Amino acid sequence: MGEGADLFKALGDATRRIILDELTERDSQTLFEICGRLTMKHGLASSRQAISQHLAVLEEAGLVHTRRQGRYKFHHLDTSPLRAIVERWPARREEPS
Amino acid sequence: MGEGADLFKALGDATRRIILDELTERDSQTLFEICGRLTMKHGLASSRQAISQHLAVLEEAGLVHTRRQGRYKFHHLDTSPLRAIVERWPARREEPS
DNA sequence: TTCATAGGCAAGTCACCACTTGCATGTCAA
DNA sequence: TTGACATGCAAGTGGTGACTTGCCTATGAA
């Protein structure tokens, strides 16, 4: 019931968080571009299928949107669902001593 | 390296998120108080040990701090680690159409 | 068409994690 | 001290999820 479980599940994996980092640096990438950049710049050697499944989870959470163009599928970052987190548990009024 | 994995792991469980909800409503509760309120108001029948382990995870993530007083241990909410999430993946400049 | 590229689907394996179970520790009251 | 209460610790179990493996579809160029 709008509990947002998909969002927290998506953020729960370290590889998916790095994918979000990569899309923050350079938005609108294809699956193969993301695979290459994760290997090169972030030092992780994940398979194409693994990254594809991660992107599906991120899309379910609303953090990534896709756009098909011929045989390419571009992935776009959407950080707006993250606002629900800080809104669910607001900052306290009084600051600690 | 300050990657914050503990934070996302803590937020990844639905019961722990409800515990944060409960502490948002009423801060500084003991383990037994939290157990009782989760059963009454949120309808989940988790054991004392389960809740205790959840609170330990939340404390590792810095979301909950504890204060001992005699045989009681009070749990305090700290939402400040959540800011790191929205700061890691900032909102885009342009708004979507 | 043929071939290479970009991506999708499904079943199987393995490790982690939530939860239980049982016992132990420590505090306070009678 | 005895007993009840509040919490802690540690081993074992089951289910979920990340990853692999293998095959399939679709687009575009020669």
Side-chain angles (χ1 to χ4, degrees):
Chain A
M1 330 246 290
E3 205 260 4
D6 287 345
L7 173 63
F8 295 105
K9 175 190 163 192
L11 292 175
D13 184 83
T15 301
R16 284 196 286 268
R17 295 195 293 271
I18 296 181
I19 291 176
L20 294 180
D21 292 340
E22 177 54 36
L23 286 177
T24 299
E25 258 190 53
R26 181 187 179 90
D27 201 13
S28 188
Q29 298 190 51
T30 67
L31 173 59
F32 272 65
E33 283 176 318
I34 295 173
C35 285
R37 285 172 169 266
L38 288 187
T39 306
M40 298 300 169
K41 303 171 40 181
H42 302 271
L44 33 128
S46 296
S47 69
R48 174 185 65 86
Q49 291 83 349
I51 301 296
S52 175
Q53 289 170 5
H54 282 311
L55 286 169
V57 174
L58 290 171
E59 191 170 7
E60 272 185 50
L63 290 167
V64 163
H65 299 193
T66 58
R67 168 175 55 93
R68 261 234 120 95
Q69 190 167 349
R71 55 177 166 175
Y72 300 107
K73 186 178 181 182
F74 296 98
H75 299 263
H76 299 267
L77 181 64
D78 181 5
T79 60
S80 60
L82 298 178
R83 278 203 297 263
I85 299 178
V86 285
E87 288 171 2
R88 177 166 176 179
W89 302 291
R92 318 247 91 189
R93 301 277 156 60
E94 66 275 339
E95 45 265 55
S97 59
Chain B
M1 331 236 300
E3 205 262 4
D6 287 344
L7 173 62
F8 296 104
K9 176 190 164 191
L11 293 175
D13 184 83
T15 301
R16 285 195 286 269
R17 293 195 294 272
I18 296 180
I19 291 177
L20 294 181
D21 291 340
E22 178 53 37
L23 286 176
T24 298
E25 256 189 56
R26 182 186 179 91
D27 201 13
S28 188
Q29 296 190 52
T30 67
L31 173 58
F32 271 65
E33 283 176 318
I34 295 174
C35 286
R37 285 172 170 266
L38 288 187
T39 305
M40 297 301 168
K41 303 171 40 181
H42 302 270
L44 33 127
S46 296
S47 70
R48 174 185 66 84
Q49 290 86 347
I51 301 297
S52 176
Q53 289 170 4
H54 283 309
L55 286 170
V57 174
L58 290 171
E59 191 169 10
E60 271 185 49
L63 290 167
V64 163
H65 298 193
T66 58
R67 169 175 55 92
R68 260 237 122 94
Q69 190 168 349
R71 55 178 165 175
Y72 300 106
K73 185 178 183 183
F74 295 97
H75 299 264
H76 299 267
L77 181 62
D78 180 5
T79 59
S80 60
L82 298 178
R83 279 202 297 264
I85 298 178
V86 286
E87 288 171 1
R88 177 166 176 179
W89 302 291
R92 318 247 91 190
R93 301 277 154 60
E94 67 276 343
E95 46 265 56
S97 60

